[in-house]
Amino acid sequence: MIQSWMVIAAVTALVAVGGVLFKPRDLKWAIGLRRPKWLTFEPLIPVIWTAIFICGAWSANIVWQQNPGSTKIWLLMSLYLLLEIVTVSYTSVTLRLRSLQVGTILGGSGAVLSIILALAVFPISRLAAGLLLPYIIWSPVGTYTTEEMIQLNPGAE
């Protein structure tokens, strides 16, 4: 029998893989952008986001287990999915459009969605809401970084 965590993990992985669909010329543009001097942890960003996605998937599984298949839970699963889609689209859409402003909007949208999701999940499970805290904390850091990059790269806004 397929367990709920397996389905949630598979959907998370599929959406994450879809987020890396961009062309090499788009990546070349991103590599050429100036970054804030304080951005010394950039090589750790993929590891940080992987941990955040694991926490999000774990949170979704906890919520699903509370009342599997109910309309409320399906709506919450849709919100989890929307949050992941917005998050992974940050890289591919920002690169494809070559627009840090779009990245800032997507990052800010993800931050707001994560707070809404945590508030919606809190009455169901405090642990599930707590597992969204890494996203709530980290997403504004990424959004702020992108906003700072706009200042350093005026033509890339």
Side-chain angles (χ1 to χ4, degrees), residues 29 33 94 98-104 146 149-150 153 156-157:
W29 171 80
L33 293 172
T94 300
R98 296 179 184 210
S99 171
L100 293 171
Q101 187 64 44
V102 168
T104 302
T146 307
M149 288 177 65
I150 290 172
N153 301 279
E157 64 239 355

Side-chain angles (χ1 to χ4, degrees), residues 57-140:
W58 186 6
S59 173
N61 189 55
I62 291 169
V63 170
W64 179 263
Q65 295 303 320
Q66 297 305 310
N67 194 0
S70 73
T71 302
K72 180 178 183 177
I73 299 302
W74 276 111
L75 289 172
L76 289 171
M77 292 300 114
S78 298
L79 195 52
Y80 276 101
L81 180 60
L82 177 61
L83 178 60
E84 186 179 9
I85 289 169
V86 166
T87 303
V88 300
S89 68
Y90 167 91
T91 300
S92 57
V93 173
T94 300
L95 294 181
R96 182 72 43 95
L97 297 178
R98 296 179 184 210
S99 171
L100 293 171
Q101 187 64 44
V102 168
T104 302
I105 291 167
L106 287 169
S109 299
V112 170
L113 280 171
S114 66
I115 293 167
I116 291 169
L117 181 59
L119 291 173
V121 163
F122 187 80
I124 296 169
S125 168
R126 289 183 177 153
L127 176 58
L131 285 165
L132 294 171
L133 283 176
Y135 193 106
I136 292 169
I137 293 166
W138 182 254
S139 184

Side-chain angles (χ1 to χ4, degrees), residues 27-40:
L27 188 57
K28 195 183 249 186
W29 171 80
I31 291 169
L33 293 172
R34 294 178 56 217
R35 285 148 174 77
K37 291 182 194 304
W38 51 262
L39 188 60
T40 57

